[in-house]
Amino acid sequence: MAGRLESCSSDPSSVSYLTQREAAEIDEELMGPLGFSVDQLMELAGLSVATSIAEVYKASEYKRVLAICGPGNNGGDGLVAARHLFHFGYKPYICYPKRTPKPLYTGLVTQLESLRVPFLSVEDLPPDLSTEYDILLDAVFGFSFHGAARPPFDDILRRLIGMRKSDQTNKKSPVIVSIDIPSGWHVEEGDISGEGIKPDMLVSLTAPKLCAKQFHGPHHFLGGRFVPPPIAEKYNLRLPPYPGASMCVHIGKAPQVDISAMRENYISPEFHEEEVDADPIKQFCKWFEEAVAAGLREANAMALSTAGKDGKPSSRMVLLKGVDEDGFVWYTNYESQKGCQLSENPWASLLFYWESLNRQVRVEGSVEKVSNEESEKYFHSRPHGSQIGAIVSKQSSIVPGRQVLHQQYRELEEKFSNVNLIPKPEHWGGYRLKPELIEFWQGQQSRLHDRLQYRPQEIDGRQVWKIVRLAP
Ligand SMILES: NC(=O)C1=CN([C@@H]2O[C@H](COP(=O)(O)OP(=O)(O)OC[C@H]3O[C@@H](n4cnc5c(N)ncnc54)[C@H](OP(=O)(O)O)[C@@H]3O)[C@@H](O)[C@H]2O)[C@@H](O)CC1
Ligand SMILES: Cc1cc2nc3c(=O)[nH]c(=O)nc-3n(C[C@H](O)[C@H](O)[C@H](O)COP(=O)(O)O)c2cc1C
Ligand SMILES: Cc1ncc(COP(=O)(O)O)c(C=O)c1O
Ligand SMILES: [K+]
């Protein structure tokens, strides 16, 4: 593979596209019989736009955002998006030349002013947009656009078009993000002249409009996670599922990424010898609590690496279920691959990676089984389904098909339906790794990371932990 990867996203052919009339009708229905207010929909639309941007263009690299807002609701979406982007750590600027005196819009302006977000007139805009901004947010026209753009928007659109053309030699030019419709494009026919703006990202709202079929930029997102079933049914809308609690979903052709160019620059507070706890377990607990407080999902997930007598290592994720001075505990099937390897070679390593904190913790040491009582106690604390699952699963053995697992699961569910205590299989239980090495890694800029390693040392017959700094 030549370093190229297609990232996952929804199949564009399975998504519905709306005509201009349908878009306007849906708008009216949402705000009529379905009880929404325009403020609500605009807030959700603007939030979807801001979260889509944050998914692709990180604030650390694309900080300066110029939101160009038009006279209608598309412009309102831009104002809302700019406010959210401010709170996400971006630096927004607003160009809003044709203001609407309605309270909704004056409120949005006041909110931005209270955040000290600068408002620029068309005359204030720098002659070359490409040097001053990292993101140009096109919130000029939405689905009610018709005809040819009138002043002052005609000139602004020309500058966006010109900037992209004259900038092809520049290393990094700003990206254009269009809300709902690339402004100036025909809502259904798209970029009729072929001379229109060429956004890098399009965030369609509610459902893509027909013109979006002509969008060939790298990032097509759908936002506006508020479509109620009556609308979806009436307009026969096929929309991709939104992941988790996300306000946006990537649709369209998956962007090609150059794996070799994928890298993050870690920016973190420095991590010094003076500030760490003399006891690595206490230090681990401190970092673990910080990972949990930072809202990391499964901060207790760790990679466990083992090797049997053939010396060939293998890794898999397991969940940390306890940690104290005696070591790190996880539970599994003693007859699994890892179980067999540990019976041949009771040494292992554990690895935690807390991505958003730029932290890694590495633990190495000897492994033994926890007491049967400890395993019993933990086993019975698990949800019933997981207890049955552990009985069903002869972990790491070949199964002929998923239905076999389901069949056995159903039989056991039936068998244990009136039983208080589901018996723990003998071959299921915990392991405890007693550390002989713990290393705390804090990512830093230019790959000059902090690495503090603890190893036990005997001083006057007493075991103490020696801390050394390792080169990154
Ligand atoms: N579920 C939904 O539906 C949701 C929709 N939402 C958002 O609403 C958007 C649609 O909003 P919208 O209807 O206000 O229309 P939009 O295009 O922003 O502006 C119309 C303005 O532009 C003007 N104008 C038109 N042509 C022009 C020209 N050639 N040159 C100059 N001006 C021109 C026109 O003036 P007029 O021609 O009427 O005098 C009017 O003032 C939609 O795309 C989405 O972003 C979300 O907020 C929430 C959920
Ligand atoms: C986040 C995560 C946590 C996991 N936790 C455990 C666990 O605590 N115990 C376990 O036996 N398997 C766990 N698994 C499944 C293992 O990664 C692995 O598939 C399984 O234990 C079989 O590994 P083996 O064949 O190398 O023994 C987890 C997987 C993931 C992705
Ligand atoms: C097969 C298996 N066993 C055990 C666990 C440990 O988790 P828990 O005891 O919380 O179910 C996991 C977690 O993913 C797992 O996949
Ligand atoms: K737009």
Side-chain angles (χ1 to χ4, degrees), residues 54 57-65 82-92:
Y57 304 115
K58 302 285 168 225
S60 52
E61 255 185 277
Y62 293 86
K63 201 167 179 73
R64 303 160 304 171
V65 183
R83 167 159 46 75
H84 288 292
L85 287 170
F86 172 90
H87 290 294
F88 293 174
Y90 294 81
K91 173 134 189 56

Side-chain angles (χ1 to χ4, degrees), residues 74 138-142 177-183:
N74 198 259
D138 154 30
V140 181
F141 300 122
V177 177
S178 288
I179 302 181
D180 211 20
I181 311 278
S183 294

